[in-house]
Amino acid sequence: MQGKTTDISKRIAGTCRRVAALAALVCGFGLPAAADNLWPEKETLTLGFIKLTDMAPLAVAYELGYFEDEGLYVTLEAQANWKVLLDRVISGELDGAHMLAGQPLGATIGFGTKADIVTAFSMDLNGNGITVSNEVWAAMKKHVPMGADGKPVHPIKADYLKPVVQQYRAEGKPFKMGMVFPVSTHNYELRYWLAAGGIHPGYYTTGDVTGTTDAEVLLSVTPPPQMPATMEAGTIFGYCVGEPWNQQAVFKGVGVPVVTDYEIWKNNPEKVFGVSAEWAKKYPNTHLAVVKALIRAAMWLDANGNANRQEAVKMLAKPAYVGADAAVIANSMTGTFEYEKGDKRDVPDFNVFFRYFATYPYYSDAVWYLTQMRRWGQIGEAKPDAWYDEVARKVYQPEIYLKAARLLVQEGKAREEDFPWDTDGYRAPQTHFIDGIAFNGKTPTAYLRKFSIGLKDDVAPAQAGGN
Amino acid sequence: MNATVKNDPELARAARKAAQAQRGLLIGRIDGYISIFGFGWVTPMLRLANGEDPSAQLKALWRGLGIPLASIILFLGLWAQMAPKVDTSLGAIPGPAQVAEAFGGLVDSHKAEREKAEAFYERQHARNEARVAEDPSYEPKIHPYTGKPTYFDQIWTSIQTVFMGFLLATLVAVPIGIIGGLSPSMNAAINPLVQIFKPVSPLAWLPIVTMVVSALYVSDDPLFDKAFLTSAITVTLCSLWPTLINTSMGVASIDKDLLNVGRVLRLSPGVQVRKLIVPSALPFIFTGMRLSLGVGWMVLIAAEMLAQNPGLGKFVWDEFQNGSSSSLARIMVAVFTIGIIGFLLDRLMLAFEALVTSRAQR
């Protein structure tokens, strides 16, 4: 009786709210009025991640109930490695996952496993480092210029590693380093750093899928959590990996981080949240809901000048997430980075989750990864500039991101000024690279011509030469 | 009558003796069962309580309980002594105390997770009600708890997986074994394949199984998790060989006269297999199955590590990846759990085998 009236009034209220939301949507984006409601089509989701601190938005969205606020019941599942993670997203065992920025791009253009993967959410900026073993550091340190305080001057360039590599090669010992995956940020960052210091990291060719043609340093794949142990075992002499695995090496005394990716390329895009294109098409509202929850999580992580980071560290230290000791995770998550033991420096932007429009999926970020794939031969032949743009638009879906952001602004959960509403998807040319070469996402072919080591135009690896 | 017995000490002693002998027989029978489960040391205690020759019983007790306990204590002592001296990049190897502590931690987190699950269901109810109020066409669903599986959930998953794989292995191996045992030419055909596939490691099968399962097991509402199937089938592939070989050996060694009797009686092949062959080969088949289950349990841990099946193998791998200061202790808890469960599974099969063979022989 009374229940019925409240029922009806609630229903009316609900309809009003939906109409209001819809009207706003139509005003904002001119979307067709077909989107009747935005309830998620699929409510039980399994999302995959790799044990790295930059999976934080997923853990935060789960722990703070942001997923549940969107009506999603999410299970977060750690995956054994990036290959397993990608395969399980493709096979549908995972609804989506924390991915390397290069993975959706690599899959879409068919380097490695071919599959259409899209992303509407960029997970973070920076967060990686390059670590070398104690032995290599001892040899390298002799060449590194020292500051007035007796500590090495940063950024440390690969120029100082070069004599060490040459010595190893002269002794007939191949110089081996680890990275986490062929299309990983880490592979490209390590290659960028080495090449900027005049060390050739090797090309991928049709016959050489390990990417060691012409290489002076042999790079191989090692899963992130095994990096310190593999280096300790002497299989590799250094590696590029995300946190906490650089700080772990310092804590365990097995190696010394020499450079962070922030110094290689200031505010470089790192991980994305990837789903299969088919999944995104089948469950558009679910996708939108996940992105909304992730945006809120990213906002929380960066809120009030990283005020929540200590709490985030506690979450990530749980065995089900990153699981490393809280002290190790805290080092980088709270804005400091320890190079040589005791040499702790402030790097407030070591991990950026929301500032600087970190979560917006910029086309230019995609283009940068594609240029590196071409530079190192993962893309076999030269492509026109239009191709880069086309692939970027196929994989990166800022429309979904902005729609999610708009809904959050309307619900009062986000601020209008925190999102780049008017961007064309290309960042202004970026200049903060360790070698000073500027990157303009609109002219990838011209960008590739600027590197002395690397493929450009239609030069085949054999002709490009190396040493 | 009672009065007479009580009054006559001779008679009373005889009666006590008889009762003691009776109990002794009973103890002997119990011993047959409990010793299968590794509780053989209980028997001398019972006999001692029954007043049978104390020195012999004490000797048996010392051998059955004293020596094993002493060796365990010695092992724990050595372990506690040596462990802190091995320094790894994750800190020193944990000693028995740290491992016990880690186990306590796992129990606590199991309890905490159960409490979180309850809160989860309550929130879900509230949310469903709110949504129905707003959107009456919605049919509320109750989603299972989305938190992480606890250590005990993971043990249970592993046991389920190994039995699934073992069941499949038995279903495949026994019929093929019987065929191979009955016909020497079939045996010659099967043998080389068995010899080639038997030594293959689960880690080699896994990628193939993963791809095949992903390709063939496509369903919108799958009954089993793909990871579960992948691990179970890998277990099957590695564990079917002992059963197969033993079955065919057992069948081949059946008394030829028995088979000839079957032929004379014109029993149909089905009846022959059921009434003659299987019962006579049963001890062999069970020995094979026991070996298979052991192999399966060992293989499972490796399969789960890579197939992402949420069992003990994944627990070990995740902890290795965590690399926290308590990871090694947790992995050791898993090592002991795996060992103890493997032992229990073996005993279970042994008991089953004893039960079935004794019946078959009767």
Side-chain angles (χ1 to χ4, degrees):
Chain A
M1 303 154 282
Q2 198 216 350
K4 210 166 207 174
T5 36
T6 38
D7 231 40
I8 292 169
S9 68
K10 264 187 190 165
R11 205 185 303 180
I12 294 170
T15 317
C16 290
R17 222 174 304 155
R18 249 175 287 152
V19 167
L22 194 67
L25 265 180
V26 172
C27 298
F29 292 94
L31 286 173
D36 186 19
N37 69 60
L38 294 172
W39 298 117
E41 303 88 350
K42 188 174 186 209
E43 296 176 339
T44 322
L45 304 179
T46 307
L47 305 180
F49 68 89
I50 296 289
K51 289 178 174 282
L52 293 167
T53 53
D54 53 20
M55 61 74 67
L58 287 168
V60 169
Y62 179 87
E63 294 288 326
L64 298 185
Y66 294 159
F67 284 131
E68 288 186 28
D69 286 351
E70 302 296 332
L72 299 174
Y73 298 96
V74 172
T75 305
L76 298 177
E77 203 184 271
Q79 305 297 307
N81 57 54
W82 291 113
K83 167 89 174 110
V84 166
L85 175 138
L86 181 64
D87 285 346
R88 283 162 65 89
V89 169
I90 295 169
S91 75
E93 284 167 273
L94 295 175
D95 293 287
H98 163 230
M99 281 186 188
L100 297 159
Q103 273 186 306
L105 294 163
T108 301
I109 64 172
F111 181 75
T113 317
K114 169 97 178 96
D116 285 332
I117 305 285
V118 298
T119 174
F121 182 82
S122 187
M123 286 183 76
D124 62 325
L125 304 179
N126 312 323
N128 300 327
I130 294 174
T131 296
V132 297
S133 69
N134 291 332
E135 205 179 308
V136 171
W137 172 242
M140 193 176 159
K141 202 175 173 183
K142 289 180 270 188
H143 309 282
V144 177
M146 294 292 159
D149 55 356
K151 287 178 179 171
V153 179
H154 283 268
I156 296 175
K157 295 189 172 180
D159 305 50
Y160 317 125
L161 179 67
K162 195 170 170 127
V164 184
V165 172
Q166 277 164 348
Q167 192 195 332
Y168 271 73
R169 281 164 61 85
E171 289 166 14
K173 282 189 282 185
F175 197 90
K176 290 182 275 190
M177 291 181 90
M179 46 84 183
V180 307
F181 204 62
V183 296
S184 67
T185 359
H186 319 84
N187 187 18
Y188 305 126
E189 283 163 1
L190 184 54
R191 282 164 178 273
Y192 200 101
W193 181 70
L194 290 170
I199 304 171
H200 202 304
Y203 291 127
Y204 292 83
T205 67
T206 36
D208 177 12
V209 288
T210 55
T212 52
T213 300
D214 297 344
E216 288 170 281
V217 169
L218 301 176
L219 304 187
S220 60
V221 170
T222 306
Q226 274 100 275
M227 287 291 186
T230 314
M231 187 169 74
E232 200 186 4
T235 315
I236 51 178
F237 304 125
Y239 55 75
C240 180
V241 72
E243 274 309 290
W245 309 113
N246 295 291
Q247 294 299 281
Q248 186 84 295
V250 182
F251 268 73
K252 307 305 178 199
V254 298
V256 177
V258 286
V259 67
T260 65
D261 63 342
Y262 180 78
E263 296 159 309
I264 298 173
W265 175 19
K266 187 176 153 188
N267 291 340
N268 63 90
E270 173 58 36
K271 300 287 181 338
V272 296
F273 175 75
V275 300
S276 79
E278 195 191 346
W279 186 92
K281 209 169 144 195
K282 205 162 154 196
Y283 308 113
N285 292 352
T286 311
H287 196 188
L288 199 60
V290 173
V291 174
K292 278 174 76 182
L294 289 177
I295 293 177
R296 285 181 71 196
M299 282 167 49
W300 181 85
L301 277 162
D302 273 13
N304 306 325
N306 295 356
N308 297 327
R309 291 289 178 93
Q310 275 302 348
E311 209 180 316
V313 166
K314 266 187 232 150
M315 281 180 203
L316 294 178
K318 292 184 185 174
Y321 299 128
V322 183
D325 291 339
V328 177
I329 299 176
N331 238 12
S332 67
M333 278 290 278
T334 52
T336 58
F337 192 80
E338 189 169 6
Y339 293 90
E340 214 174 346
K341 204 150 200 154
D343 184 2
K344 205 174 202 174
R345 305 194 185 194
D346 280 338
V347 191
D349 283 344
F350 186 83
N351 263 138
V352 173
F353 290 100
F354 192 68
R355 294 185 288 274
Y356 318 128
F357 304 139
T359 51
Y360 183 93
Y362 280 100
Y363 296 136
S364 51
D365 295 348
V367 171
W368 189 79
Y369 282 106
L370 291 169
T371 61
Q372 299 307 301
M373 291 179 187
R374 172 62 194 137
R375 183 180 177 188
W376 304 118
Q378 291 176 337
I379 295 171
E381 71 270 23
K383 302 278 186 187
D385 284 357
W387 179 87
Y388 288 91
D389 181 64
E390 192 186 307
V391 175
R393 282 176 197 274
K394 195 170 164 193
V395 177
Y396 279 45
Q397 308 203 319
E399 322 76 52
I400 296 170
Y401 176 88
L402 285 180
K403 196 170 162 190
R406 180 54 71 198
L407 287 168
L408 287 173
V409 171
Q410 279 159 5
E411 290 165 17
K413 290 172 184 158
R415 290 178 312 179
E416 177 86 25
E417 66 268 29
D418 282 339
F419 302 96
W421 302 103
D422 305 321
T423 177
D424 64 350
Y426 282 86
R427 294 177 197 256
Q430 290 157 284
T431 50
H432 296 283
F433 285 88
I434 198 165
D435 54 1
I437 292 176
F439 167 64
N440 181 352
K442 291 186 171 163
T443 56
T445 309
Y447 176 63
L448 282 172
R449 284 188 197 126
K450 295 180 195 170
F451 296 109
S452 55
I453 299 180
L455 301 179
K456 50 197 83 103
D457 298 318
D458 255 333
V459 183
Q463 295 157 313
N467 313 338
Chain B
M1 160 145 183
N2 262 342
T4 15
V5 172
K6 250 179 208 163
N7 291 341
D8 184 349
E10 276 292 309
L11 221 61
R13 201 179 304 141
R16 268 204 305 277
K17 265 244 150 79
Q20 192 191 26
Q22 197 76 43
R23 282 197 300 269
L25 276 176
L26 185 68
I27 292 170
R29 212 173 304 150
I30 296 174
D31 175 58
Y33 292 103
I34 58 178
S35 57
I36 290 175
F37 289 99
F39 291 106
W41 45 271
V42 175
T43 315
M45 283 166 115
L46 290 175
R47 287 203 194 285
L48 207 59
N50 197 22
E52 294 173 39
D53 178 22
S55 75
Q57 298 315 322
L58 282 177
K59 208 170 179 185
L61 191 61
W62 167 243
R63 205 177 301 135
L65 187 64
I67 294 180
L69 271 185
S71 93
I72 289 175
I73 290 169
L74 187 72
F75 168 74
L76 289 179
L78 276 177
W79 173 19
Q81 275 298 309
M82 316 261 280
K85 290 182 185 138
V86 184
D87 214 13
T88 72
S89 65
L90 294 182
I93 298 273
Q98 286 100 307
V99 172
E101 201 179 302
F103 179 72
L106 289 171
V107 173
D108 289 345
S109 77
H110 174 76
K111 285 185 194 146
E113 205 63 28
R114 284 290 177 271
E115 275 163 28
K116 273 169 89 181
E118 265 169 45
F120 170 86
Y121 285 117
E122 271 167 33
R123 284 200 308 275
Q124 200 175 158
H125 262 295
R127 199 163 285 117
N128 276 342
E129 271 168 32
R131 173 149 179 201
V132 169
E134 205 176 318
D135 171 22
S137 65
Y138 178 64
E139 283 172 39
K141 288 176 279 248
I142 292 298
H143 301 283
Y145 180 53
T146 58
K148 66 173 176 117
T150 67
Y151 188 58
F152 299 95
D153 297 336
Q154 286 168 316
I155 294 177
W156 179 230
T157 309
S158 282
I159 291 178
Q160 281 176 309
T161 316
V162 84
F163 272 101
M164 174 83 176
F166 172 64
L167 195 74
L168 287 177
T170 309
L171 288 180
V172 173
V174 172
I176 298 182
I178 290 176
I179 294 171
L182 283 178
S183 142
S185 33
M186 280 308 281
N187 193 33
I190 297 169
N191 198 36
L193 296 177
V194 172
Q195 298 305 333
I196 290 172
F197 288 129
K198 192 172 61 130
V200 176
S201 141
L203 299 178
W205 283 122
L206 196 72
I208 301 173
V209 175
T210 309
M211 292 335 277
V212 171
V213 168
S214 302
L216 296 185
Y217 191 66
V218 186
S219 129
D220 275 339
D221 186 23
L223 184 59
F224 301 110
D225 227 27
K226 272 183 190 163
F228 173 82
L229 269 192
T230 308
S231 318
I233 293 175
T234 307
V235 168
T236 303
L237 284 174
C238 293
S239 69
L240 64 88
W241 313 112
T243 307
L244 204 164
I245 294 168
N246 269 292
T247 305
S248 81
M249 218 159 70
V251 172
S253 63
I254 294 175
D255 198 346
K256 289 290 170 281
D257 293 343
L258 198 63
L259 295 179
N260 289 336
V261 169
R263 244 170 249 139
V264 169
L265 290 176
R266 293 176 180 275
L267 294 176
S268 73
V271 175
Q272 273 196 46
V273 168
R274 237 176 324 124
K275 295 279 178 197
L276 296 178
I277 296 168
V278 170
S280 343
L282 215 49
F284 280 91
I285 297 180
F286 263 92
T287 309
M289 281 166 71
R290 198 178 128 218
L291 292 173
S292 282
L293 189 60
V295 170
W297 181 247
M298 239 158 79
V299 160
L300 173 77
I301 304 302
E304 281 183 340
M305 273 191 180
L306 290 186
Q308 298 282 305
N309 189 41
L312 283 169
K314 180 155 165 56
F315 174 84
V316 170
W317 191 245
D318 280 351
E319 280 302 335
F320 177 49
Q321 296 209 325
N322 282 351
S324 82
S325 48
S326 49
S327 289
L328 282 181
R330 291 209 197 99
I331 292 176
M332 284 209 186
V333 172
V335 166
F336 284 106
T337 311
I338 292 166
I340 290 167
I341 292 178
F343 170 69
L344 291 180
L345 288 179
D346 189 61
R347 291 291 146 163
L348 191 74
M349 283 306 291
L350 205 63
F352 211 44
E353 189 186 333
L355 202 73
V356 172
T357 19
S358 71
R359 188 168 297 163
Q361 276 160 0
R362 242 176 261 160

